[in-house]
Amino acid sequence: MSTRRGQQITSKFILLLFFLMAVTSCTDNNSINIGFVGSITGRNSELGVTARNTLQLMVEEQNKNGGINGKRLTLVIRDDMSSPAGAKAAITNLIKKDVRLILGPITSAMAEPTTEAIAGRHVLVMSPTMSTDFLANKDDNLLRTATGSSRQAETIAERAFSLGLGRTAVIGDMENPKYVNSIAQRFRTLVKQFGKEIPIEIKYSSSQNTNFNDIARKVAVKNPDSILFITNGFDAAMLAQALRRSGLNDARFFGVSWSQSNDIITHGGRAVEGMRLIALHDYGNVDPKIAALKKKYIDRYNKEPSFIYTRYAAIFKIAVYGLEHAKSYNSNQIKRTILEKRNFNEFGREIIFNRFGDAKEQYNLVIIKDGNFVSDN
């Protein structure tokens, strides 16, 4: 009797197991995972949180409209903790979970660990903000919609020289070395060509206990007429405050796209008024989709999004196109599908990929006026 009862229990357990397997299989077959890797904590978190929030809104909207060919999208979020090691670990974790498409990371400091993590793996990474020249013209499984970072140096130099400036100090955060070095090197070349001067160049690491007042004093001794910040937004704000306190009240400030987060206004206050920065968002773009997305973002999260929201919204739409038109959830086919189309227009911005999966664009300059970013083009 006990043997028969044991057999009955075993049979019921096996049936239950098969049922659970069938349910799990059904769920897997009717959903598509998209990964997101970004700096949700750390010094770049203002950008990472905006990117994550935007993607959550976009995924919800896509699912309301039927998902991808009837399948729901699921956003799988991983925090890179604003560190290269964190980015590599996050991407590796998503790959192990069989996520074939990843959006991010955000900063160029994550470029090398990203390429290391995805080399030879069945995954496609798409980043709208990693602009380092290190990634240019490589036939790999990474697509970008950000122009090479050295072009930022050209845009800033052209504006600075047009204002009659000729003695520019350069301050760079070596937590993002390839990005900093490519911009600084190109800027040096242009300064030399135009007969201008870099009286001092300071490199520091934001992961260490940096004394911004010491940096400001070293810069002030050289009395430059302008300063180029190749730093994150928070550091640029702190440096601007320290530089103004050091007596450089008339010096013009310039910042790269990395600096152009909302942190620079929040923490910089009056010290950053009049500062010009590279913008990856066109503040003159009146596309109604941008206004609608911004309103939806503010309604949901009760705060202004950083400039990065339109970048992630656009690359999400490109990813959706690839998923909808590829023959399967295969990273190579998704990449091939996107590159065959090549030309996209999302949120009023034209994006054209070359055969390597890189895109070129014209950088915009913004100026901070009354605590707001205003177009300076």
Side-chain angles (χ1 to χ4, degrees):
M1 183 73 176
S2 60
T3 301
R4 186 179 303 151
R5 184 177 180 183
Q7 289 174 340
Q8 290 175 342
I9 293 173
T10 301
S11 298
K12 289 179 179 178
F13 177 78
I14 292 172
L15 288 172
L16 177 62
L17 182 62
F18 275 114
F19 172 76
L20 291 173
M21 288 174 64
V23 170
T24 303
S25 175
C26 179
T27 302
D28 289 343
N29 289 335
N30 287 281
S31 66
I32 296 174
N33 290 332
I34 292 183
F36 165 67
V37 173
S39 305
I40 300 173
T41 56
R43 284 182 178 260
N44 299 307
S45 60
E46 202 270 335
L47 296 177
V49 169
T50 296
R52 179 202 63 190
N53 291 350
T54 301
L55 289 177
Q56 287 175 331
L57 292 174
M58 299 299 290
V59 167
E60 288 176 10
E61 181 182 2
Q62 188 68 33
N63 284 335
K64 286 180 182 177
N65 294 329
I68 302 290
N69 299 326
K71 297 184 178 182
R72 288 183 59 81
L73 285 179
T74 300
L75 185 65
V76 186
I77 300 166
R78 293 293 181 270
D79 181 11
D80 65 28
M81 298 174 287
S82 297
S83 78
K88 188 172 184 178
I91 292 169
T92 301
N93 176 267
L94 289 174
I95 293 172
K96 287 180 179 179
K97 293 186 177 299
D98 202 33
V99 176
R100 304 292 179 85
L101 178 62
I102 299 172
L103 304 183
I106 292 171
T107 67
S108 292
M110 314 306 173
E112 192 164 5
T114 297
T115 58
E116 291 172 356
I118 66 177
R121 310 302 293 272
H122 296 294
V123 64
L124 176 64
V125 172
M126 300 175 65
S127 173
T129 49
M130 286 199 300
S131 61
T132 174
D133 295 339
F134 167 77
L135 295 172
N137 299 325
K138 293 183 179 180
D139 188 9
D140 52 19
N141 43 341
L142 193 156
L143 304 183
R144 300 184 300 153
T145 60
T147 296
S149 51
S150 59
R151 176 61 186 148
Q152 295 192 32
E154 296 168 10
T155 303
I156 291 170
E158 289 167 5
R159 190 71 178 102
F161 300 159
S162 74
L163 293 171
L165 303 172
R167 302 186 72 254
T168 306
V170 177
I171 305 175
D173 177 8
M174 295 311 291
E175 288 298 304
N176 201 349
K178 285 184 168 57
Y179 178 82
V180 172
N181 288 334
S182 64
I183 293 176
Q185 182 177 343
R186 182 59 181 153
F187 191 75
R188 278 188 229 106
T189 299
L190 294 168
V191 165
K192 185 177 180 180
Q193 286 178 356
F194 283 84
K196 307 296 184 179
E197 181 186 356
I198 297 179
I200 185 171
E201 185 171 351
I202 294 179
K203 294 180 179 180
Y204 72 98
S205 177
S206 59
S207 65
Q208 299 174 6
N209 189 19
T210 305
N211 189 317
F212 295 121
N213 288 322
D214 282 349
I215 292 176
R217 282 191 289 269
K218 291 176 183 177
V219 173
V221 168
K222 300 296 182 179
N223 196 31
D225 58 23
S226 52
I227 293 99
L228 170 58
F229 300 92
I230 315 178
T231 72
N232 63 71
F234 177 81
D235 283 11
M238 295 297 99
L239 284 163
Q241 295 271 17
L243 287 162
R244 294 305 188 205
R245 287 194 300 269
S246 72
L248 290 176
N249 295 313
D250 297 325
R252 306 287 187 93
F253 291 164
F254 295 88
V256 294
S257 61
W258 188 22
S259 308
Q260 202 249 315
S261 68
N262 290 346
D263 281 341
I264 198 163
I265 292 176
T266 301
H267 300 285
R270 297 297 303 175
V272 297
E273 277 291 305
M275 183 175 184
R276 290 176 169 84
L277 302 107
I278 294 290
L280 297 183
H281 172 72
D282 182 1
Y283 287 82
N285 190 335
V286 295
D287 190 302
K289 291 181 181 178
I290 294 177
L293 177 59
K294 185 175 182 179
K295 182 180 184 305
K296 187 181 294 185
Y297 189 103
I298 294 172
D299 288 346
R300 168 70 65 86
Y301 302 108
N302 197 32
K303 64 182 296 185
E304 287 267 343
S306 180
F307 72 88
I308 208 170
Y309 78 107
T310 55
R311 310 288 295 194
Y312 269 87
I315 208 162
F316 174 82
K317 286 292 189 180
I318 296 172
V320 165
Y321 175 88
L323 288 167
E324 286 179 337
H325 293 84
K327 295 180 180 179
S328 67
Y329 185 44
N330 176 284
S331 57
N332 288 330
Q333 290 185 4
I334 297 168
K335 174 188 173 182
R336 190 180 308 117
T337 299
I338 291 171
L339 294 187
E340 283 176 354
K341 178 174 172 59
R342 187 169 175 259
N343 193 323
F344 294 83
N345 195 310
E346 301 293 347
F347 294 89
R349 173 173 164 247
E350 187 176 35
I351 300 167
I352 303 174
F353 290 102
N354 65 16
R355 65 188 181 92
F356 297 107
D358 295 331
K360 289 187 176 181
E361 62 183 333
Q362 183 70 34
Y363 280 123
N364 301 296
L365 273 175
V366 292
I367 185 169
I368 299 176
K369 287 185 177 181
D370 299 322
N372 294 292
F373 296 116
V374 180
S375 178
D376 189 51
N377 292 334

